[in-house]
Amino acid sequence: MSKNAKRVLVAGGCGFIGSHLVDRVLKRSDVETCVVADNLWTGLDENLAHVRDPRLHIVHCDAEAFRSDIGFDEIYHLASPASPPWYMGDPRRTISANVIGALRLLESLKPGGRIAYTSTSEVYGDPLVSPQPESYRGSVDCTGPRSSYDEGKRCTEALLFEMRRAHGLDIRVVRLFNVYGPRTRPDDGRAVSNFITQGLAGRPITIFGDGLQSRSWGYIDDIVDGLERYFWLDQIDYPGPLNIGNDREISVLEVAEYVARLTGVGKVVHMPPVPQDPTNRRPDLTLARSLMPGWECRVPYEQGVEMTLEWFRARLTAGTAVAQ
Amino acid sequence: MSKNAKRVLVAGGCGFIGSHLVDRVLKRSDVETCVVADNLWTGLDENLAHVRDPRLHIVHCDAEAFRSDIGFDEIYHLASPASPPWYMGDPRRTISANVIGALRLLESLKPGGRIAYTSTSEVYGDPLVSPQPESYRGSVDCTGPRSSYDEGKRCTEALLFEMRRAHGLDIRVVRLFNVYGPRTRPDDGRAVSNFITQGLAGRPITIFGDGLQSRSWGYIDDIVDGLERYFWLDQIDYPGPLNIGNDREISVLEVAEYVARLTGVGKVVHMPPVPQDPTNRRPDLTLARSLMPGWECRVPYEQGVEMTLEWFRARLTAGTAVAQ
């Protein structure tokens, strides 16, 4: 075993984004062990079922309860639900997973080790500026129905940045904008996967409100390209926060209509708007482009949605789909 | 023992504001037991040394570690440092006291009991509107040097409001603006007590920056009048958030010069500005005035500062002052 071999912990590694990150970690030759801690609240074991790598060890536990006899060189904290119906359903646990999760995971960090955290564009709330640069302080209602997620993420950022300032903790913090693609739960509840599962079931596509609210849809492969470049490939010495996402702004309605056409459903139905649904969301990528030259979200949404749809279709055919 | 006798828990009850609140709790005839949980991080046992009431029980422990065999009807969560040098010195513990403190204290709440939380005007950050109504979402840098306090408070608000929405938790949340008065620690580090301890020691009064940043100085008695009216006296059925403070905006420089004159020091020295010191801070009290007619911060700062100075002088004379 090389002296430089790294021990890596991915909390939330059975999740949608977490499992893709694990795939990338396992491509590294300098990684000796990759431990995944996941309580399967929103993660799924099947997301890592394809892995045959003996370096991977999956532990089913809350991030807040994780303990280990070995220390880790790198910890990736992705343990959090990310979809409104999930986090709104258990706000206490959402805050706990993020904040107490971070505190607990830090106990397993080797001295001098690094902790990376996937924060969110939701720290900007319903933004009053567009696009949103990292310096934008956000417009979050800390008493509102999305606050367990938004404030849990903000508070965890605060914890990490303050532990960096006060104690020299080595941190990397990204703010992810909307991400979609294979391994999203069919019952995730967010727009793209909702539209696709509805379309594949031959049901009308439902959107909340007029659908004119915009999102920046980042295809998972592009997003994880950014994560691995920022987290280890490019050896970037910058603590964050760093926006990672697609800066092509698309309305929810446009995606819904596209999925309706693709699946032949043809019909889009409007539902009452969701409380405090952000009206717009678009990353300012100046910093990402400067730190990671050439990195972009290259997959156009039409192509990404089609690939995601094909993945869902194959999954349905294989009979492993979770009923929505 | 009356069936309606209340068991009350005050976390942070040995602190500056907490101890004054305990005094008010003990004036109630419907209170059977008042337990104070305080780790004496910033609280002082001497703040409750005057109490001879057998209903008072002081437990020295972190809010995060509190446990009790009895359930409480009312829990008041004031367990947090409130002064920048204290919370910036241990950001991890500050977040823990607020967020994990709240989660832990809830375990001791009787079913149907009420938890009240003292949040802060710091949830508004460096505000872009003045005065600040409760609906203002704030301008907080969640990666900045004040963020452990600001975001720890915001996240705890989110936790409580979301547990109210999702589970019907009975909550009361106040946002306190600057408070000063007797029982402030001499080494608290905030403006009024700094000026007074400097003046009484015959040292020049130091202010950070030009001193033109404004604050709304609320004298402790007025503030605790508001707290007891909101928390129990007026039987107000409103979860919060509720601004409580003085809406007379005074510059730091004006108070410094007043203390300099009172103590005969005469000299005010400017120090470099503190990072991210808010430029202004003033509560919109429309809601407080509507919920608690007649409540006001009545004590003008000149009188409040003089009373505070006399309290510090008497404490010094008694030889119990903590060296700054």
Side-chain angles (χ1 to χ4, degrees):
Chain A
M1 177 196 323
S2 153
K3 235 179 78 179
N4 293 320
K6 304 284 191 203
R7 289 168 168 171
V8 174
L9 171 62
V10 183
C14 294
F16 162 46
I17 300 176
S19 64
H20 286 278
L21 190 70
V22 168
D23 287 338
R24 302 294 178 103
V25 168
L26 293 173
K27 286 189 178 165
R28 290 168 56 179
S29 58
D30 66 334
V31 169
E32 167 202 316
T33 305
C34 177
V35 174
V36 162
D38 200 302
N39 58 11
L40 304 183
W41 177 13
T42 61
L44 295 168
D45 267 333
E46 65 182 80
N47 285 340
L48 290 176
H50 61 283
V51 179
R52 294 284 170 268
D53 193 313
R55 295 173 300 167
L56 177 67
H57 305 275
I58 300 175
V59 182
H60 290 151
C61 75
D62 292 339
E64 309 95 290
F66 181 78
R67 67 171 67 211
S68 166
D69 294 333
I70 64 167
F72 291 90
D73 301 281
E74 301 169 21
I75 295 179
Y76 298 91
H77 181 10
L78 295 86
S80 174
S83 172
W86 289 83
Y87 63 71
M88 288 172 68
D90 201 340
R92 182 197 177 292
R93 195 177 181 195
T94 301
I95 288 174
S96 173
N98 282 282
V99 183
I100 308 183
L103 286 167
R104 181 65 174 237
L105 295 173
L106 282 170
E107 294 175 17
S108 296
L109 190 66
K110 266 192 195 165
R114 176 181 300 166
I115 184 163
Y117 178 59
T118 48
S119 184
T120 169
S121 60
E122 295 267 344
V123 301
Y124 304 124
D126 192 1
L128 305 176
V129 302
S130 180
Q132 296 89 49
E134 289 85 351
S135 58
Y136 178 55
R137 294 185 174 187
S139 174
V140 171
D141 175 2
C142 67
T143 70
R146 301 171 76 96
S147 63
S148 69
Y149 185 69
D150 302 8
E151 295 295 342
K153 292 283 187 184
R154 288 177 64 100
C155 187
T156 307
E157 283 201 19
L159 174 72
L160 295 175
F161 279 97
E162 276 297 271
M163 290 191 69
R164 173 174 186 269
R165 180 191 58 75
H167 311 298
L169 183 68
D170 186 9
I171 66 169
R172 296 291 183 275
V173 174
V174 290
R175 292 176 178 163
L176 297 179
F177 286 64
N178 294 73
V179 188
Y180 72 101
R183 303 190 200 162
T184 312
R185 289 180 75 100
D187 58 351
D188 172 81
R190 281 174 292 182
V192 177
S193 55
N194 267 7
F195 300 161
I196 289 176
T197 51
Q198 290 169 332
L200 287 178
R203 297 202 308 269
I205 311 268
T206 56
I207 59 182
F208 299 106
D210 57 17
L212 301 181
Q213 63 272 38
S214 73
R215 296 291 181 271
S216 59
W217 311 99
Y219 187 67
I220 183 69
D221 292 356
D222 287 330
I223 299 301
V224 184
D225 282 350
L227 291 181
E228 72 173 352
R229 284 190 62 176
Y230 175 52
F231 285 160
W232 61 77
L233 282 184
D234 289 14
Q235 310 210 339
I236 293 164
D237 185 20
Y238 176 73
L242 178 68
N243 286 340
I244 291 192
N246 191 345
D247 61 356
R248 183 178 164 200
E249 209 173 356
I250 310 275
S251 77
V252 170
L253 183 61
E254 187 174 338
V255 178
E257 288 175 339
Y258 180 69
V259 174
R261 282 198 304 277
L262 271 186
T263 55
V265 168
K267 196 169 169 199
V268 171
V269 176
H270 293 262
M271 310 275 281
V274 172
Q276 298 196 358
D277 201 22
T279 52
N280 68 93
R281 191 58 66 68
R282 183 179 166 214
D284 182 323
L285 295 175
T286 309
L287 187 55
R289 287 182 177 126
S290 133
L291 291 175
M292 307 185 292
W295 174 79
E296 288 292 336
C297 276
R298 298 184 182 286
V299 177
Y301 89 86
E302 296 86 346
Q303 186 190 337
V305 166
E306 213 172 321
M307 291 191 288
T308 308
L309 193 144
E310 286 315 312
W311 179 83
F312 270 99
R313 198 194 305 270
R315 195 170 177 278
L316 269 173
T317 310
T320 58
V322 175
Q324 198 181 8
Chain B
M1 177 195 326
S2 153
K3 236 179 78 181
N4 294 318
K6 304 284 192 202
R7 290 167 168 171
V8 174
L9 171 62
V10 183
C14 294
F16 162 46
I17 300 176
S19 64
H20 286 278
L21 189 71
V22 168
D23 287 339
R24 303 294 178 104
V25 168
L26 293 172
K27 286 190 178 164
R28 291 167 56 180
S29 58
D30 65 335
V31 169
E32 168 201 317
T33 305
C34 178
V35 174
V36 162
D38 201 302
N39 59 10
L40 303 184
W41 176 14
T42 61
L44 295 167
D45 266 333
E46 66 182 78
N47 285 340
L48 290 176
H50 61 283
V51 179
R52 294 284 170 268
D53 193 312
R55 295 174 300 166
L56 177 67
H57 306 275
I58 301 176
V59 182
H60 289 150
C61 75
D62 293 339
E64 308 96 291
F66 182 78
R67 67 171 66 213
S68 166
D69 295 331
I70 64 166
F72 292 90
D73 301 281
E74 300 170 22
I75 295 180
Y76 298 92
H77 181 10
L78 295 85
S80 174
S83 172
W86 288 83
Y87 62 70
M88 288 171 69
D90 201 340
R92 181 197 178 292
R93 196 177 180 194
T94 300
I95 288 173
S96 173
N98 282 281
V99 182
I100 309 183
L103 285 167
R104 182 66 174 235
L105 295 172
L106 282 171
E107 294 175 17
S108 296
L109 190 67
K110 265 191 196 167
R114 177 182 299 166
I115 184 163
Y117 178 57
T118 48
S119 184
T120 170
S121 60
E122 295 267 344
V123 301
Y124 304 124
D126 192 2
L128 305 176
V129 302
S130 180
Q132 295 89 50
E134 288 86 352
S135 58
Y136 177 55
R137 295 186 174 186
S139 175
V140 171
D141 175 2
C142 67
T143 70
R146 302 172 75 97
S147 64
S148 68
Y149 185 68
D150 302 8
E151 295 295 342
K153 292 284 187 184
R154 288 177 64 101
C155 186
T156 306
E157 283 201 19
L159 174 73
L160 296 175
F161 279 96
E162 275 297 90
M163 289 189 70
R164 174 174 185 270
R165 181 190 58 75
H167 312 298
L169 183 67
D170 186 9
I171 66 170
R172 296 291 183 275
V173 174
V174 291
R175 293 176 178 163
L176 297 179
F177 286 64
N178 294 74
V179 189
Y180 71 101
R183 303 189 199 164
T184 312
R185 290 181 73 101
D187 58 351
D188 172 81
R190 280 173 293 181
V192 176
S193 55
N194 266 5
F195 300 161
I196 289 176
T197 51
Q198 289 169 331
L200 288 177
R203 299 202 306 268
I205 310 259
T206 56
I207 59 182
F208 298 106
D210 58 16
L212 299 182
Q213 63 273 36
S214 73
R215 296 290 181 273
S216 60
W217 310 98
Y219 187 68
I220 182 70
D221 292 357
D222 287 329
I223 299 302
V224 183
D225 282 351
L227 291 181
E228 72 173 353
R229 285 190 61 176
Y230 175 52
F231 286 159
W232 61 78
L233 282 184
D234 288 14
Q235 311 210 337
I236 294 164
D237 186 21
Y238 176 73
L242 179 67
N243 287 340
I244 291 192
N246 191 344
D247 61 356
R248 184 180 163 200
E249 209 174 356
I250 310 275
S251 77
V252 170
L253 183 63
E254 187 174 337
V255 178
E257 288 176 339
Y258 180 68
V259 174
R261 281 197 304 278
L262 271 186
T263 56
V265 167
K267 197 173 168 195
V268 171
V269 177
H270 292 262
M271 311 275 282
V274 173
Q276 299 197 355
D277 201 21
T279 53
N280 69 94
R281 191 57 66 68
R282 184 180 165 214
D284 183 323
L285 295 175
T286 309
L287 187 57
R289 289 184 176 122
S290 134
L291 291 175
M292 308 185 291
W295 175 79
E296 288 292 338
C297 277
R298 299 184 182 286
V299 178
Y301 88 86
E302 296 86 346
Q303 187 190 337
V305 166
E306 212 171 323
M307 291 192 289
T308 308
L309 192 144
E310 285 315 312
W311 179 83
F312 269 99
R313 198 195 303 271
R315 195 169 177 279
L316 269 173
T317 309
T320 57
V322 175
Q324 198 182 9

Coordinates of all heavy atoms in Angstrom, one line a residue, chain B residues 46-95:
Chain B
E46 N -22.9 34.3 39.6 CA -23.3 35.5 40.4 C -24.5 36.2 39.9 O -25.2 37.0 40.6 CB -22.1 36.5 40.4 CG -21.8 37.1 39.1 CD -20.5 38.0 39.1 OE1 -19.4 37.5 39.1 OE2 -20.7 39.3 39.2
N47 N -24.9 36.0 38.6 CA -26.1 36.7 38.0 C -27.3 36.2 38.7 O -28.4 36.9 38.7 CB -26.2 36.5 36.5 CG -25.2 37.3 35.8 OD1 -24.7 38.3 36.3 ND2 -24.9 36.9 34.5
L48 N -27.3 35.0 39.3 CA -28.5 34.5 40.0 C -28.2 34.3 41.5 O -29.0 33.7 42.2 CB -28.9 33.2 39.4 CG -29.6 33.3 38.0 CD1 -29.9 31.9 37.4 CD2 -30.8 34.2 38.0
A49 N -27.1 34.9 42.0 CA -26.7 34.7 43.4 C -27.6 35.3 44.3 O -27.8 34.9 45.5 CB -25.3 35.2 43.6
H50 N -28.4 36.3 43.9 CA -29.3 37.0 44.7 C -30.6 36.3 44.9 O -31.4 36.6 45.8 CB -29.7 38.4 44.1 CG -30.3 38.2 42.7 ND1 -29.6 37.9 41.6 CD2 -31.6 38.3 42.3 CE1 -30.4 37.8 40.5 NE2 -31.7 38.0 41.0
V51 N -30.8 35.2 44.2 CA -32.1 34.5 44.2 C -32.1 33.6 45.4 O -31.2 32.8 45.6 CB -32.4 33.7 42.9 CG1 -33.7 32.9 43.1 CG2 -32.4 34.6 41.7
R52 N -33.2 33.7 46.2 CA -33.4 32.8 47.4 C -34.6 31.9 47.3 O -35.1 31.4 48.3 CB -33.5 33.7 48.7 CG -32.3 34.5 49.1 CD -31.2 33.6 49.7 NE -29.9 34.3 49.8 CZ -29.0 34.3 48.9 NH1 -29.1 33.6 47.8 NH2 -27.9 35.0 49.1
D53 N -35.0 31.8 46.1 CA -36.3 31.1 45.8 C -36.1 29.6 45.7 O -35.3 29.2 44.8 CB -36.9 31.6 44.5 CG -38.4 31.3 44.3 OD1 -38.7 30.0 44.5 OD2 -39.2 32.1 44.0
P54 N -36.7 28.8 46.5 CA -36.5 27.3 46.5 C -37.0 26.7 45.2 O -36.6 25.5 44.9 CB -37.2 26.8 47.7 CG -38.3 27.8 47.9 CD -37.7 29.1 47.5
R55 N -37.7 27.4 44.4 CA -38.2 26.8 43.1 C -37.1 26.8 42.0 O -37.2 26.2 41.0 CB -39.4 27.6 42.6 CG -40.6 27.5 43.5 CD -41.7 28.4 43.0 NE -41.3 29.8 43.0 CZ -41.9 30.8 42.3 NH1 -43.0 30.5 41.6 NH2 -41.4 32.0 42.4
L56 N -36.0 27.6 42.3 CA -34.9 27.7 41.3 C -33.9 26.5 41.5 O -33.4 26.3 42.6 CB -34.2 29.0 41.4 CG -33.0 29.2 40.5 CD1 -33.5 29.3 39.0 CD2 -32.3 30.5 40.9
H57 N -33.6 25.9 40.4 CA -32.6 24.8 40.4 C -31.6 25.1 39.2 O -32.1 25.2 38.1 CB -33.2 23.4 40.2 CG -34.3 23.2 41.2 ND1 -34.0 22.7 42.5 CD2 -35.6 23.4 41.2 CE1 -35.2 22.6 43.1 NE2 -36.2 23.0 42.4
I58 N -30.3 25.2 39.6 CA -29.4 25.5 38.5 C -28.6 24.2 38.2 O -28.0 23.6 39.1 CB -28.4 26.6 39.0 CG1 -29.2 27.9 39.3 CG2 -27.3 26.9 37.9 CD1 -28.5 29.1 39.8
V59 N -28.5 23.9 36.9 CA -27.7 22.8 36.5 C -26.6 23.3 35.6 O -26.9 24.0 34.6 CB -28.6 21.8 35.6 CG1 -27.8 20.6 35.2 CG2 -29.9 21.4 36.4
H60 N -25.4 22.9 35.9 CA -24.3 23.4 35.0 C -24.0 22.4 33.9 O -23.4 21.4 34.1 CB -23.0 23.6 35.9 CG -23.1 24.8 36.8 ND1 -22.5 24.9 38.0 CD2 -23.9 26.0 36.7 CE1 -22.8 26.1 38.6 NE2 -23.6 26.7 37.8
C61 N -24.6 22.7 32.8 CA -24.3 21.8 31.6 C -24.6 22.5 30.3 O -25.3 23.5 30.3 CB -25.1 20.5 31.7 SG -26.9 20.7 31.3
D62 N -24.0 22.0 29.2 CA -24.3 22.5 27.9 C -25.8 22.2 27.6 O -26.3 21.2 28.0 CB -23.5 21.7 26.8 CG -22.0 22.0 26.9 OD1 -21.6 23.1 27.5 OD2 -21.2 21.2 26.4
A63 N -26.4 23.2 26.9 CA -27.8 22.9 26.4 C -27.8 21.6 25.6 O -28.8 20.9 25.7 CB -28.3 24.1 25.6
E64 N -26.8 21.4 24.8 CA -26.7 20.2 24.0 C -26.7 18.9 24.8 O -26.9 17.8 24.2 CB -25.5 20.2 23.1 CG -25.3 21.4 22.2 CD -24.4 22.4 22.9 OE1 -24.7 22.9 24.0 OE2 -23.3 22.5 22.4
A65 N -26.3 19.0 26.1 CA -26.2 17.8 26.9 C -27.3 17.7 28.0 O -27.3 16.8 28.8 CB -24.8 17.8 27.6
F66 N -28.2 18.7 28.0 CA -29.2 18.7 29.0 C -30.1 17.5 28.9 O -30.5 17.0 27.9 CB -30.0 20.0 28.9 CG -31.1 20.1 30.0 CD1 -30.7 20.4 31.3 CD2 -32.4 19.7 29.8 CE1 -31.7 20.5 32.3 CE2 -33.4 19.8 30.7 CZ -33.0 20.2 32.0
R67 N -30.3 16.9 30.1 CA -31.4 15.8 30.1 C -32.1 15.9 31.4 O -31.6 16.4 32.4 CB -30.8 14.4 29.9 CG -29.9 14.0 31.0 CD -29.5 12.5 30.8 NE -28.7 12.3 29.6 CZ -28.8 11.2 28.9 NH1 -29.6 10.2 29.2 NH2 -28.0 11.1 27.9
S68 N -33.3 15.5 31.4 CA -34.2 15.7 32.6 C -35.2 14.5 32.7 O -35.6 14.0 31.6 CB -34.9 17.0 32.5 OG -35.9 17.0 33.5
D69 N -35.5 14.1 33.9 CA -36.5 13.1 34.1 C -37.9 13.7 34.0 O -38.8 13.0 33.7 CB -36.3 12.4 35.4 CG -35.0 11.6 35.5 OD1 -34.5 11.2 34.5 OD2 -34.5 11.5 36.6
I70 N -38.0 15.0 34.2 CA -39.3 15.6 34.1 C -39.4 16.3 32.8 O -38.4 16.7 32.2 CB -39.6 16.6 35.3 CG1 -38.6 17.7 35.3 CG2 -39.5 15.8 36.7 CD1 -39.0 18.9 36.2
G71 N -40.6 16.4 32.3 CA -40.9 17.2 31.1 C -41.3 18.7 31.5 O -41.8 18.9 32.6
F72 N -41.0 19.6 30.6 CA -41.2 21.0 30.9 C -42.4 21.5 30.1 O -42.6 21.1 29.0 CB -40.0 21.8 30.7 CG -38.9 21.5 31.7 CD1 -37.9 20.5 31.4 CD2 -38.8 22.2 32.9 CE1 -36.9 20.2 32.3 CE2 -37.8 21.9 33.8 CZ -36.9 20.9 33.5
D73 N -43.2 22.4 30.8 CA -44.3 23.0 30.1 C -43.8 24.2 29.2 O -44.4 24.4 28.1 CB -45.3 23.6 31.1 CG -45.8 22.6 32.0 OD1 -46.7 21.8 31.6 OD2 -45.3 22.4 33.2
E74 N -42.7 24.8 29.6 CA -42.2 25.9 28.9 C -40.7 25.9 28.9 O -40.1 25.7 30.0 CB -42.6 27.3 29.6 CG -44.1 27.5 29.6 CD -44.5 28.7 30.5 OE1 -43.6 29.6 30.7 OE2 -45.6 28.7 31.0
I75 N -40.1 26.0 27.7 CA -38.7 26.0 27.6 C -38.2 27.3 27.0 O -38.8 27.7 25.9 CB -38.1 24.8 26.8 CG1 -38.4 23.5 27.6 CG2 -36.6 24.9 26.6 CD1 -37.9 22.2 26.9
Y76 N -37.3 28.0 27.6 CA -36.8 29.3 27.1 C -35.3 29.0 26.7 O -34.5 28.7 27.5 CB -36.9 30.4 28.1 CG -38.4 30.7 28.4 CD1 -39.0 30.0 29.5 CD2 -39.1 31.5 27.5 CE1 -40.4 30.2 29.7 CE2 -40.5 31.6 27.8 CZ -41.1 31.0 28.8 OH -42.4 31.1 29.0
H77 N -35.0 29.1 25.4 CA -33.7 28.8 24.9 C -32.9 30.1 24.6 O -33.1 30.7 23.6 CB -33.8 27.9 23.6 CG -32.5 27.5 23.0 ND1 -31.3 27.7 23.6 CD2 -32.3 26.9 21.8 CE1 -30.4 27.2 22.8 NE2 -30.9 26.7 21.7
L78 N -32.1 30.4 25.6 CA -31.2 31.6 25.5 C -29.8 31.2 25.5 O -28.9 32.0 25.8 CB -31.5 32.6 26.6 CG -32.8 33.3 26.6 CD1 -33.9 32.5 27.4 CD2 -32.7 34.7 27.3
A79 N -29.5 29.9 25.3 CA -28.1 29.4 25.5 C -27.3 29.7 24.2 O -27.3 28.9 23.3 CB -28.2 27.9 25.7
S80 N -26.6 30.8 24.3 CA -25.7 31.2 23.2 C -24.9 32.4 23.6 O -25.4 33.2 24.3 CB -26.6 31.6 21.9 OG -25.8 32.1 20.9
P81 N -23.6 32.4 23.2 CA -22.9 33.7 23.4 C -23.5 34.7 22.4 O -24.2 34.3 21.5 CB -21.5 33.3 22.9 CG -21.6 32.2 22.0 CD -22.8 31.4 22.4
A82 N -23.4 36.0 22.7 CA -24.0 37.0 21.9 C -23.0 38.1 21.5 O -23.4 38.9 20.7 CB -25.2 37.6 22.6
S83 N -21.8 38.0 21.9 CA -20.9 39.1 21.6 C -19.8 38.5 20.6 O -19.3 37.4 20.8 CB -20.2 39.5 22.9 OG -19.1 40.4 22.6
P84 N -19.5 39.3 19.6 CA -18.7 38.8 18.5 C -17.3 38.2 19.0 O -17.0 37.1 18.5 CB -18.4 40.1 17.7 CG -19.7 40.9 17.8 CD -20.1 40.7 19.3
P85 N -16.6 38.8 19.9 CA -15.3 38.1 20.3 C -15.5 36.8 20.9 O -14.7 35.9 20.7 CB -14.7 39.1 21.3 CG -15.6 40.2 21.5 CD -16.7 40.1 20.5
W86 N -16.7 36.6 21.5 CA -16.9 35.3 22.1 C -17.4 34.2 21.1 O -16.9 33.1 21.0 CB -18.0 35.4 23.2 CG -17.5 36.1 24.5 CD1 -17.4 37.4 24.7 CD2 -17.0 35.5 25.6 NE1 -16.9 37.7 25.9 CE2 -16.6 36.5 26.5 CE3 -16.8 34.1 26.0 CZ2 -16.0 36.2 27.8 CZ3 -16.2 33.9 27.3 CH2 -15.9 34.9 28.2
Y87 N -18.3 34.6 20.3 CA -18.8 33.6 19.3 C -17.8 33.4 18.2 O -17.7 32.3 17.7 CB -20.2 33.9 18.8 CG -20.5 35.1 18.0 CD1 -20.0 35.3 16.7 CD2 -21.4 36.1 18.5 CE1 -20.3 36.5 16.0 CE2 -21.7 37.2 17.8 CZ -21.2 37.4 16.6 OH -21.5 38.5 15.8
M88 N -17.1 34.4 17.8 CA -16.0 34.2 16.8 C -14.9 33.4 17.3 O -14.2 32.7 16.5 CB -15.5 35.6 16.3 CG -16.5 36.3 15.4 SD -16.0 38.0 15.0 CE -14.7 37.7 13.9
G89 N -14.7 33.3 18.6 CA -13.6 32.5 19.2 C -13.9 31.0 19.1 O -13.0 30.2 19.2
D90 N -15.2 30.7 19.1 CA -15.5 29.3 19.1 C -16.8 29.1 18.3 O -17.9 28.8 18.8 CB -15.7 28.7 20.5 CG -15.5 27.2 20.5 OD1 -15.7 26.5 19.5 OD2 -15.2 26.6 21.6
P91 N -16.6 29.2 16.9 CA -17.8 29.2 16.1 C -18.5 27.8 16.1 O -19.8 27.8 16.0 CB -17.3 29.4 14.7 CG -15.8 29.2 14.8 CD -15.4 29.5 16.2
R92 N -17.8 26.7 16.2 CA -18.4 25.4 16.3 C -19.3 25.3 17.4 O -20.5 24.8 17.3 CB -17.3 24.4 16.4 CG -17.7 23.0 16.4 CD -16.6 22.1 16.9 NE -17.0 20.7 17.0 CZ -17.9 20.3 17.9 NH1 -18.5 21.1 18.7 NH2 -18.3 19.0 17.9
R93 N -18.8 25.8 18.6 CA -19.6 25.7 19.8 C -20.8 26.6 19.8 O -21.9 26.3 20.3 CB -18.7 26.0 21.0 CG -19.3 25.6 22.3 CD -18.2 25.9 23.4 NE -18.7 25.6 24.7 CZ -18.2 25.9 25.9 NH1 -17.1 26.7 25.9 NH2 -18.7 25.5 27.0
T94 N -20.7 27.7 19.1 CA -21.8 28.7 19.0 C -22.9 28.1 18.2 O -24.1 28.1 18.6 CB -21.3 30.0 18.3 OG1 -20.3 30.5 19.1 CG2 -22.4 31.0 18.1
I95 N -22.6 27.4 17.0 CA -23.6 26.8 16.2 C -24.2 25.6 17.0 O -25.5 25.4 17.0 CB -23.0 26.3 14.9 CG1 -22.8 27.5 14.0 CG2 -23.9 25.3 14.2 CD1 -22.0 27.2 12.7

